[in-house]
Amino acid sequence: MRKSILVGVCLAALLPAAVQAQNVEGRVGKLESEMRAVQRKVFPGGAGQMLQPEVRAPQSEQGPGPGSPATSALADVNQRVTSLEQQMTSLTEQIEQNQNRTRQLQDAFDNYRRSNDARLKTLETGPAPIATGAGAGGPIESDDQSSGPSRPTTRPEAASKPGAATPTKVSVEKPSTGDPAEDEYMYGYRLWAAKQYPQAEAQLKKVVAEYPKSKRASYAQNLLGRSYLDEGKPSLASMAFYDNYKKMPEGERAPDSLLYLGQALTKLNKPADACKVYDELNDVYGAKMASAMKGQVAAGRSAAKCK
């Protein structure tokens, strides 16, 4: 009878420790699950960047004696909890910083868009300035030469008066390779190269609308912005460039659009916004940029007097 009472007293003494261990283990499991969810958000796709807890429970060579409370095991679990909480705090800060940077760029451009609505309407309805050449100062879409010549195939038409100062009007031929998206884009490219900007802009908008899944959609949206720049419409150009980056950030011409967006904002006397765009370009695409583009970014930052 005495032994039964003693066993009952021991079990009663050990029960709170067992319950505490169970509760702490539950916390650990919940934290580990939450941390994995946060890591997937910070490192989408994995790529071997999943973080592991920094604290491990030490391997004990000799377990606790019979009837001893598992105080060392509880201490180890508490260390794991502390480590997981610290890592979750660090990962959460990374997410918040990335979201804040994107939100600042979005807010800056939204403010610019609202402040220029009236000017955009004037530019859209008023007479277009006479183009004097490439306004963006950047390279021609040189890799488009793989699908056609770097200059448009044209057929001169006689001017109304021989020797008149009016430029010779040209007829741009539409390619026919059997690839509709490629042909439509190259036709828009040839119109742009022939400086027939309104026709080029209508054609490039058509490419984006009809072939949004084609790689040429990113090219067409970027070239649309360049056409506006060459036509002397930096406000419309900036919107075209921003839409390309926002809607097709993985497109091949998304980095180019950020570069030209910085140039367009500089022309609009928005140097602070231009500097934010160049920062975004370096942060998102810096590792992928060719040396030529890095030089253009440096020149753009200098023109905008970025710090």
Side-chain angles (χ1 to χ4, degrees):
M1 183 68 175
R2 184 178 301 174
K3 288 184 178 180
S4 299
I5 295 174
L6 182 59
V7 169
V9 171
C10 291
L11 289 175
L14 291 175
L15 186 58
V19 172
Q20 184 180 3
Q22 184 177 7
N23 291 338
V24 174
E25 285 291 349
R27 290 175 58 203
V28 172
K30 181 180 178 182
L31 280 171
E32 288 176 335
S33 176
E34 291 177 353
M35 188 180 74
R36 283 193 293 270
V38 173
Q39 287 176 322
R40 283 194 296 272
K41 189 169 184 180
V42 176
F43 305 114
Q49 300 185 70
M50 298 294 284
L51 302 179
Q52 298 298 327
E54 297 175 356
V55 177
R56 292 282 191 274
Q59 298 295 328
S60 176
E61 296 182 358
Q62 184 176 1
S68 300
T71 55
S72 60
L74 288 176
D76 295 338
V77 171
N78 282 323
Q79 285 183 315
R80 290 170 59 198
V81 171
T82 300
S83 176
L84 287 168
E85 289 174 340
Q86 291 173 347
Q87 291 178 69
M88 285 192 65
T89 299
S90 176
L91 291 170
T92 302
E93 288 176 354
Q94 292 181 48
I95 293 174
E96 291 175 348
Q97 290 172 1
N98 291 336
Q99 291 175 339
N100 185 54
R101 184 165 52 200
T102 302
R103 185 165 51 251
Q104 287 178 344
L105 180 61
Q106 176 75 53
D107 290 344
F109 195 82
D110 287 344
N111 290 334
Y112 149 73
R113 183 182 292 218
R114 285 192 294 269
S115 67
N116 284 277
D117 281 345
R119 184 177 179 183
L120 285 174
K121 291 179 181 178
T122 302
L123 288 170
E124 289 174 338
T125 58
I130 298 176
T132 58
I140 291 179
E141 314 275 302
S142 57
D143 55 351
D144 293 326
Q145 297 178 22
S146 61
S147 302
S150 59
R151 294 293 178 184
T153 303
T154 59
R155 181 170 59 255
E157 297 178 2
S160 57
K161 293 182 181 181
T166 303
T168 302
K169 188 178 180 180
V170 297
S171 175
V172 178
E173 295 180 1
K174 185 176 182 179
S176 179
T177 65
D179 184 340
E182 185 73 12
D183 291 344
E184 295 290 348
Y185 169 72
M186 285 306 302
Y187 183 45
Y189 169 78
R190 291 177 178 183
L191 289 168
W192 167 75
K195 299 183 181 180
Q196 298 183 25
Y197 300 125
Q199 297 90 332
E201 290 151 13
Q203 178 64 23
L204 294 168
K205 289 178 182 178
K206 177 183 176 183
V207 174
V208 176
E210 295 186 358
Y211 306 99
K213 301 300 183 181
S214 170
K215 76 169 187 176
R216 287 305 192 186
S218 176
Y219 282 73
Q221 185 68 29
N222 181 68
L223 193 56
L224 173 63
R226 293 191 61 184
S227 181
Y228 283 135
L229 265 186
D230 293 348
E231 198 179 4
K233 298 180 178 180
S235 293
L236 292 175
S238 64
M239 298 181 73
F241 292 134
Y242 182 72
D243 283 345
N244 195 33
Y245 169 65
K246 182 179 179 181
K247 297 177 181 178
M248 293 177 279
E250 302 300 325
E252 294 184 29
R253 282 295 184 261
D256 302 71
S257 287
L258 278 183
L259 172 65
Y260 291 121
L261 174 58
Q263 295 179 5
L265 291 172
T266 301
K267 288 178 179 290
L268 290 165
N269 296 319
K270 301 280 186 179
D273 291 339
C275 293
K276 291 179 181 178
V277 168
Y278 290 132
D279 289 341
E280 183 78 1
L281 175 57
N282 283 325
D283 290 342
V284 179
Y285 303 108
K288 302 178 182 178
M289 282 195 295
S291 57
M293 181 175 287
K294 290 180 180 179
Q296 289 178 293
V297 172
R301 292 182 65 87
S302 177
K305 295 180 174 57
C306 302
K307 295 181 181 179

